[in-house]
């Protein structure tokens, strides 16, 4: 019942966004820009400003990179066995290797563990966004029928405002720069980030439709995202010198569904967009069953 009480409020907010978008047909791109360019950077700044920067950051980087690398290796092996094309392989990487720890994982950790867990979740969110802006865009471009090839991923990273929020937060932290009454304004904006990004995910889901898909590849994506990913995360964090709460958060975040941003990349580069969109939608719906199981086994 405890886990159900955690999950239901989260999906309630998703449902509000879904129903609101279905009825009002709002411009979801503008809502996404509001969260990415204004709300989330303030949330990231506040977290890094108030958090103690230590060697655990190195372990977070190792975890995010290791999980992505192992996922891509498994996906590549699967596609070679079934003799999938390069476009199909890249589409599977987009739908299977990147978890939604922004719209989904961070709010989930907040509900589960409060502000203490939130600090860990936001660091992982920033690292994951960096990874999607580089490795994710690379595979989207590589699988594109337009023969885009390898692109300048650094340009994508530099356009991610949350990175600047993190840099400023760390700088203000190390230099012990006081914020004074300005902190109240930052708190107002930062506090709005979580509910808005949750509503935005519900709105994005309302815009998706399951069209013609490769059900074998789609099934693999969902199994990879919701079952194999938390298992890989468990293996990765088992020996890391981190506290139990941090390890639990890392495993739970790894169990979250396909990242919504990968759908935008798939559509932009025309890489298996039907399958990637379907994976985002179905994995989010099925996570209502799978994520509570992971939480039960982890917490």
């Amino acid at each position: 019942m405890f886990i159900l009480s955690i999950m239901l409020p989260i999906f309630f907010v998703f449902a509000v966004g879904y129903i609101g978008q279905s009825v009002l047909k709002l411009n979801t791109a503008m809502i996404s820009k509001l969260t990415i360019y204004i709300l989330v950077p303030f949330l990231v700044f506040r977290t890094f400003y108030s958090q103690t920067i230590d060697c655990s950051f190195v372990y977070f980087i190792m975890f995010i990179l290791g999980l992505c690398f192992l996922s891509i290796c498994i996906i590549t092996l699967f596609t070679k066995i079934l003799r999938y094309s390069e476009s199909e392989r890249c589409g599977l990487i987009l739908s299977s290797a990147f978890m939604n720890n922004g719209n989904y994982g961070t709010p989930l950790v907040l509900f589960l563990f409060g502000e203490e867990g939130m600090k860990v979740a936001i660091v992982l969110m920033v690292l994951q966004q960096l990874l999607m802006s580089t490795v994710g865009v690379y595979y989207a471009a590589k699988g594109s029928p337009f023969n885009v090839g390898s692109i300048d991923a650094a340009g994508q990273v530099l356009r991610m405002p949350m990175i600047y929020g993190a840099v400023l937060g760390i700088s203000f932290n190390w230099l012990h720069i006081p914020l004074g009454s300005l902190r109240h304004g930052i708190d107002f904006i930062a506090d709005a980030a979580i509910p808005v990004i949750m509503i935005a995910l519900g709105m994005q889901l309302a815009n998706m439709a399951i069209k013609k898909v490769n059900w074998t590849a789609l099934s693999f994506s969902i199994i990879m995202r919701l079952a194999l990913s938390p298992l890989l995360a468990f293996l990765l964090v088992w020996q890391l010198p981190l506290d139990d709460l941090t390890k639990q958060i890392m495993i739970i975040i790894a169990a979250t569904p396909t990242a919504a941003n990968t759908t935008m990349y798939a559509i932009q580069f025309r890489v298996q967009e039907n399958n990637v969109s379907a994976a985002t939608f179905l994995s989010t719906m099925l996570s209502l069953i799978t994520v509570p199981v992971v939480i039960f086994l982890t917490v």
Side-chain angles (χ1 to χ4, degrees):
M1 286 301 296
F2 167 72
I3 297 175
L4 187 63
S5 68
I6 294 295
M7 297 298 297
L8 283 181
I10 292 174
F11 272 81
F12 172 76
V13 179
F14 291 161
V16 169
Y18 186 98
I19 296 170
Q21 177 61 16
S22 299
V23 174
L24 300 176
K25 306 296 182 183
L26 300 175
N27 187 338
T28 54
M30 295 302 296
I31 304 295
S32 296
K33 285 182 178 180
L34 171 67
T35 60
I36 292 172
Y37 288 95
I38 298 178
L39 302 182
V40 172
F42 277 93
L43 178 63
V44 170
F45 171 85
R46 183 178 67 178
T47 300
F48 280 91
Y49 176 75
S50 58
Q51 183 165 328
T52 302
I53 310 299
D54 54 30
C55 62
S56 63
F57 279 66
V58 177
Y59 299 123
F60 293 155
I61 294 171
M62 291 170 56
F63 168 73
I64 290 291
L65 290 177
L67 184 60
C68 183
F69 175 76
L70 289 175
S71 298
I72 291 175
C73 288
I74 294 173
I75 293 163
T76 299
L77 178 62
F78 175 80
T79 55
K80 284 187 179 296
I81 292 173
L82 294 187
R83 298 181 180 180
Y84 279 7
S85 67
E86 182 65 7
S87 175
E88 290 172 317
R89 183 176 81 95
C90 292
L92 267 178
I93 290 172
L94 289 177
S95 61
S96 307
F98 304 101
M99 61 269 194
N100 191 351
N101 64 344
N103 303 76
Y104 193 120
T106 302
L108 177 61
V109 170
L110 177 62
F111 275 90
L112 272 172
F113 304 110
E115 290 296 331
E116 192 62 30
M118 185 75 163
K119 295 175 182 179
V120 176
I122 290 181
V123 174
L124 293 173
M125 178 180 71
V126 173
L127 294 175
Q128 176 73 2
Q129 289 296 332
L130 270 172
L131 199 66
M132 282 195 292
S133 299
T134 52
V135 177
V137 172
Y138 169 79
Y139 279 105
K142 191 175 183 182
S144 173
F146 304 130
N147 194 29
V148 176
S150 180
I151 66 171
D152 184 10
Q156 294 289 329
V157 176
L158 293 175
R159 286 194 286 271
M160 294 298 295
M162 70 175 62
I163 305 306
Y164 298 108
V167 171
L168 285 173
I170 293 171
S171 300
F172 275 51
N173 185 330
W174 282 349
L175 296 173
H176 303 288
I177 299 175
L179 297 176
S181 59
L182 189 63
R183 177 64 184 264
H184 298 300
I186 293 172
D187 286 339
F188 280 136
I189 300 174
D191 290 340
I194 295 300
V196 174
I197 63 175
M198 292 172 70
I199 290 173
L201 175 59
M203 294 172 68
Q204 289 172 331
L205 293 175
N207 291 335
M208 296 178 184
I210 300 177
K211 301 177 182 177
K212 186 177 181 181
V213 297
N214 179 337
W215 284 101
T216 300
L218 179 59
S219 299
F220 173 82
S221 294
I222 293 173
I223 293 171
M224 181 75 207
R225 189 65 263 124
L226 300 180
L228 291 180
S229 181
L231 178 59
L232 292 174
F234 172 78
L235 296 175
L236 284 171
V237 305
W238 180 254
Q239 294 297 328
L240 290 180
L242 297 168
D243 61 85
D244 290 341
L245 175 62
T246 300
K247 290 181 179 181
Q248 291 168 357
I249 291 170
M250 294 164 83
I251 295 170
I252 291 170
I253 279 181
T256 56
T258 302
N261 284 0
T262 58
T263 298
M264 294 188 293
Y265 294 152
I267 293 172
Q268 179 181 351
F269 291 98
R270 302 289 178 85
V271 184
Q272 304 292 310
E273 52 260 60
N274 287 345
N275 261 60
V276 178
S277 298
T280 302
F281 183 86
L282 289 178
S283 64
T284 302
M285 296 299 103
L286 291 173
S287 69
L288 183 58
I289 301 171
T290 60
V291 169
V293 173
V294 174
I295 294 173
F296 176 77
L297 295 174
T298 304
V299 177

